[in-house]
Amino acid sequence: MKQFFRKHQNIIETIFLLLILMGGCLWKYQDYRMQQTQQDIAQKILRFHVRANSNSSADQALKLKVRDAVGSYMQNVLEGVDNVTECSRKVQEHLPQVIQTARRTIMEEGYDYTVSAQVETVGFPKKTYGDYTFPAGDYQALNVIIGSGKGHNWWCVMYPNMCFQGAVYEAADEEAGKSLKQVLSEDEYDAVLKSGRYRVRFKYLDFLNRFLEK
């Protein structure tokens, strides 16, 4: 055996280096595909994002009050919406009412914070909602900022409807999952389901698939 390795040392070292290079390329490609998948997902969903004035317990509780009020209002507005373009348009049209609803809630709770609301691009870290993990990246969102907006945020997916299934703001249920599956491709849906780990699959190359899954 030692003689065999000595005789073929150069060939073995070359193969070993090629395997290392191939592995590195595959991981790079997987990262690239994950970025592409995130961008594709981002074009098909609209998120709902509420940021508190601060991380004090009072401000965090207020954030949830505003979330409930705005969410209840938007649930009625978005009833029957069946694509992200229409959803975004309706949200844009109702931004004054969203701000009014948030301000009224803030005043009723005894605060005088300012509030803003826009449909805009927001950078999100990787986020998990029930069984679904959305990859980090830029997404369009109804972005509601209370006061200085320096506190922790709350978020969900407004389209497809993962915010208002059953009891408002409970963890994403089966119906929410069905709504998401209707909007995303099979690969995109797999990318967010449960683990949130996207695996590149190579048709007819099972050994590469096994390598990527390790």
Side-chain angles (χ1 to χ4, degrees):
M1 184 65 72
K2 290 182 179 179
Q3 291 179 349
F4 174 84
F5 279 109
R6 289 195 191 99
K7 185 177 179 180
H8 299 89
Q9 183 176 355
N10 290 337
I11 296 175
I12 293 171
E13 289 177 350
T14 300
I15 292 173
F16 183 70
L17 288 173
L18 287 174
L19 287 172
I20 292 175
L21 289 173
M22 185 175 69
C25 290
L26 288 173
W27 284 117
K28 286 290 185 181
Y29 179 68
Q30 186 164 344
D31 288 341
Y32 166 77
R33 284 295 303 273
M34 185 70 257
Q35 292 174 6
Q36 289 296 114
T37 299
Q38 183 276 321
Q39 293 171 12
D40 292 341
I41 292 171
Q43 293 177 7
K44 299 176 180 180
I45 70 172
L46 181 72
R47 297 170 80 155
F48 178 23
H49 183 237
V50 184
R51 186 175 290 279
N53 176 68
S54 77
N55 287 330
S56 72
S57 58
D59 282 349
Q60 287 296 309
L62 179 63
K63 173 190 71 178
L64 299 182
K65 293 280 189 180
V66 171
R67 173 203 71 180
D68 291 348
V70 173
S72 294
Y73 174 76
M74 291 308 301
Q75 181 178 11
N76 294 324
V77 170
L78 298 178
E79 186 175 357
V81 167
D82 61 2
N83 64 76
V84 70
T85 301
E86 183 184 5
C87 179
S88 181
R89 178 180 60 79
K90 280 186 170 287
V91 173
Q92 289 275 15
E93 290 174 352
H94 288 83
L95 284 176
Q97 291 87 347
V98 168
I99 294 172
Q100 183 181 31
T101 299
R103 282 178 175 167
R104 182 172 62 248
T105 302
I106 291 169
M107 292 178 64
E108 288 173 352
E109 294 299 315
Y111 299 90
D112 61 355
Y113 296 139
T114 59
V115 62
S116 64
Q118 296 290 336
V119 176
E120 57 189 347
T121 301
V122 178
F124 285 90
K126 184 169 73 172
K127 291 279 190 175
T128 297
Y129 184 53
D131 286 339
Y132 301 90
T133 300
F134 288 80
D138 293 336
Y139 295 82
Q140 287 292 105
L142 168 57
N143 196 26
V144 179
I145 307 296
I146 303 170
S148 65
K150 294 181 179 180
H152 291 317
N153 65 82
W154 175 93
W155 74 279
C156 76
V157 177
M158 180 167 278
Y159 182 84
N161 183 2
M162 299 183 76
C163 293
F164 315 121
Q165 300 290 349
V168 176
Y169 308 120
E170 291 295 327
D173 61 12
E174 184 178 352
E175 289 302 314
K178 289 179 180 178
S179 298
L180 184 65
K181 196 168 188 176
Q182 290 175 354
V183 170
L184 303 182
S185 71
E186 183 177 351
D187 281 350
E188 291 161 357
Y189 184 77
D190 287 344
V192 300
L193 179 61
K194 297 196 177 192
S195 69
R197 180 186 176 191
Y198 182 71
R199 295 183 177 90
V200 178
R201 304 296 298 177
F202 294 90
K203 191 175 183 181
Y204 306 127
L205 295 177
D206 288 340
F207 77 96
L208 289 182
N209 293 328
R210 289 193 297 271
F211 174 81
L212 288 172
E213 288 173 357
K214 290 181 179 179

